[in-house]
Amino acid sequence: MLSIPYLSAEAPYATIAIVVALFFILRPLKAMRRSLVNTSVFFSACLLGDLLAGLMLSEHRFSAIAQLLRQLSIFGEGLAVIRFIGLAWFNVALPRAHIRISGILADILVIIGYIGWAFFRLNQSGVELTHLFATSAILTAVLAISMQDTLGNLLGGLALQMDNSLEIGDWIKIDDLSGQVTDIQWRYTAIVTRSGEKAIVPNSQLMKGRYYVLCDKNAENPSWRRNIEFNIDLSVPPGRLIRLIESDLAAATIPHVAQTPPPSCVLMSFGPGYAHYVLRYWLQNPQLDDPTDSEVRSHVLATLQRSGIRLATDDHIIHLVKEGTAHRETVQNRELKRRLQAIDSIELFARLSDSEKQHLAEHLINAPFARGDILTRQGAIAHWLYIIVDGEVEAWWQPPEGPRRLLEKRGPGSVFGEIGLMTGAPRRATVVATTDVEAYRLDKDGFQEIIRQRPELADSLSATLASRLRRFNDLERGYHEGRDEQARQTQGSAAIGQKIREFFGLD
């Protein structure tokens, strides 16, 4: 039996327990170092009180006060030991064994240890526990009645952590409050909204009411369905519009939008002069709900504009703006000038006269794209080209085997799809918008009248297209068999000229 002069019999064992516990918890619980220091200081004060009581008893001075001081010191030493053992067991030993319990349950078990130690010391001091239990039962009933809300919050927090119905990091929605759970305490649950506001919700409210967990991380594919609403004129066939929206959104690459389940468009209702549609997609990150909604709306609007479909306005809206002929001509001339500038920057049309360029400008069609949209797909046949006015795109080539290859990046003033316009050949690459893109589209009909009036353009344009083809062949080098460069130049130009004549019916 350990014995140290002037100290109680319990003090050496308490000191050994404290040292051993600190050895196990000091390094793993660095974040709690301040709390550990405070508890250690408290234990040291209790040891000092125990020593002082021993000195007083040895000199037979103030015996009653010395006995009280010793009992309080031993009780404090026990509290510190229970605190350190609880930390070593619940915060270190169990996690290393891959056993995790809620923090509130661990606190309750430690408190039960405190209460048990208190009853034990009272019994050692000669206090009759039967009378104490009878008195404490009455006090407990009075406290339970007066602290119903506090006890409800305490038990609610314990239940939330034990059944894992709500975890730190979850995104939840309570009525009009939505945010991420950052802490679950005895009395409350802390929620940080997207605006950075910290909301304190009593645990009893969560237990009594209804709340929604967004993007449940325990689900196979955590996601949250979002709805984008828009109105379209009744003259647009619903089947065509739904297929158009769904196909374009499925092909587009939009951050945080799940590919499975795919976006779906439904006709919800009718209004005065319009049909009400809802595009439903699945969001993977609840924190980015508004920015992702904005991205999806941009894609929907760009898709509608490329297809010549305008958002509907209520028939009750009266437009009071009256534009005169001079104003309309000014707007048209400004737009025509902008289109001519776009055509002048294209090498393919350098041999056209001013009147022919004017003709092409009048046939250009506005074709905007949102970031992530696919402008053309490799292997598809489309008889038109695009002129980029603003924004950037990337051209990707998919070889028969292996990963796709980035061919080039293009920006304002560039053109692509010219081979499809002139020959009707399949697209050589998949072109993806890396930013929002403002572009014009020129189809076969817009160019056919010019080339029929001047068939010799087919031969002059063939040299430009052959140069473009050689550039593609150089970019795709390593995936195709090599050919004689001179033969390829001669035969390629002649073959393309023949394709242009056949495509526009010049022979």
Side-chain angles (χ1 to χ4, degrees), residues 119-313:
F119 282 133
F120 176 77
R121 292 309 305 171
L122 288 173
N123 184 57
Q124 291 293 104
S125 302
V127 177
E128 184 61 42
L129 295 182
T130 55
H131 299 297
L132 184 62
F133 285 142
T135 305
S136 62
I138 298 174
L139 291 175
T140 301
V142 172
L143 289 174
I145 294 173
S146 61
M147 300 178 64
Q148 291 185 29
D149 291 339
T150 301
L151 291 175
N153 291 330
L154 188 154
L155 296 176
L158 179 62
L160 288 172
Q161 290 203 3
M162 291 185 66
D163 62 14
N164 292 325
S165 59
L166 190 63
E167 301 177 6
I168 294 177
D170 284 343
W171 284 86
I172 68 171
K173 182 179 180 182
I174 311 171
D175 298 329
D176 58 346
L177 174 66
S178 177
Q180 187 175 32
V181 177
T182 58
D183 196 10
I184 301 177
Q185 293 291 338
W186 289 72
R187 185 180 64 84
Y188 65 86
T189 295
I191 300 173
V192 176
T193 68
R194 295 172 180 82
S195 302
E197 302 164 336
K198 184 177 181 179
I200 304 299
V201 181
N203 291 330
S204 58
Q205 180 179 340
L206 294 175
M207 295 300 297
K208 295 177 182 178
R210 177 189 303 173
Y211 61 88
Y212 302 90
V213 178
L214 310 179
C215 287
D216 184 9
K217 55 188 177 185
N218 297 319
E220 183 177 354
N221 296 310
S223 55
W224 177 28
R225 197 180 78 175
R226 303 285 295 171
N227 296 327
I228 304 297
E229 303 181 7
F230 56 96
N231 299 329
I232 299 297
D233 192 91
L234 289 172
S235 61
V236 180
R240 175 195 169 205
L241 179 72
I242 290 174
R243 287 192 300 271
L244 178 67
I245 296 294
E246 289 183 349
S247 61
D248 282 5
L249 264 293
T253 302
I254 307 176
H256 311 296
V257 174
Q259 297 297 318
T260 305
S264 64
C265 183
V266 293
L267 175 60
M268 295 296 293
S269 62
F270 299 103
Y274 65 84
H276 181 63
Y277 292 87
V278 174
L279 174 65
R280 302 179 298 189
Y281 77 92
W282 293 88
L283 177 65
Q284 295 174 322
N285 186 351
Q287 186 175 9
L288 302 174
D289 53 351
D290 289 339
T292 308
D293 284 351
S294 177
E295 286 269 358
V296 174
R297 289 191 186 97
S298 299
H299 280 268
V300 171
L301 183 60
T303 299
L304 296 175
Q305 290 176 338
R306 288 198 305 274
S307 303
I309 301 174
R310 300 184 62 181
L311 294 174
T313 56

Side-chain angles (χ1 to χ4, degrees), residues 39-103:
T39 306
S40 300
V41 171
F42 173 76
F43 177 76
S44 301
C46 291
L47 277 180
L48 184 61
D50 195 351
L51 179 62
L52 180 61
L55 290 172
M56 293 170 64
L57 289 172
S58 67
E59 297 179 2
H60 304 287
R61 299 174 60 185
F62 308 105
S63 297
I65 296 176
Q67 286 291 347
L68 178 60
L69 178 60
R70 167 148 287 180
Q71 292 301 325
L72 291 176
S73 299
I74 294 174
F75 178 66
E77 293 167 4
L79 294 181
V81 170
I82 294 172
R83 164 70 171 166
F84 278 151
I85 291 177
L87 290 174
W89 180 253
F90 295 116
N91 293 55
V92 179
L94 290 183
R96 287 181 178 177
H98 305 289
I99 300 174
R100 297 190 179 275
I101 65 173
S102 66

Side-chain angles (χ1 to χ4, degrees), residues 323-439:
E323 298 178 349
T325 303
H327 175 73
R328 288 195 299 271
E329 289 180 353
T330 300
V331 173
Q332 291 173 358
N333 289 335
R334 184 167 59 244
E335 174 62 18
L336 185 60
K337 182 179 179 181
R338 191 164 183 254
R339 296 183 180 189
L340 285 172
Q341 290 175 347
I343 291 175
D344 286 337
S345 64
I346 307 304
E347 177 189 359
L348 184 66
F349 304 133
R351 294 180 174 85
L352 299 182
S353 64
D354 291 341
S355 60
E356 290 168 342
K357 291 179 180 178
Q358 179 91 5
H359 175 81
L360 287 185
E362 294 172 354
H363 283 79
L364 291 181
I365 300 173
N366 187 37
F369 292 89
R371 181 168 62 94
D373 273 342
I374 294 179
L375 286 69
T376 65
R377 191 179 295 276
Q378 182 177 335
I381 298 177
H383 312 314
W384 59 70
L385 61 77
Y386 290 102
I387 301 173
I388 300 177
V389 177
D390 186 44
E392 294 182 351
V393 300
E394 291 180 346
W396 293 83
W397 179 66
Q398 177 64 57
E401 296 180 357
R404 65 176 185 169
R405 180 183 179 189
L406 177 63
L407 297 180
E408 60 181 336
K409 297 182 179 181
R410 299 183 184 178
S414 58
V415 62
F416 58 91
E418 63 276 17
I419 297 176
L421 172 69
M422 298 299 178
T423 66
R427 300 296 193 191
R428 300 293 302 271
T430 297
V431 180
V432 182
T434 56
T435 65
D436 290 343
V437 172
E438 185 179 351

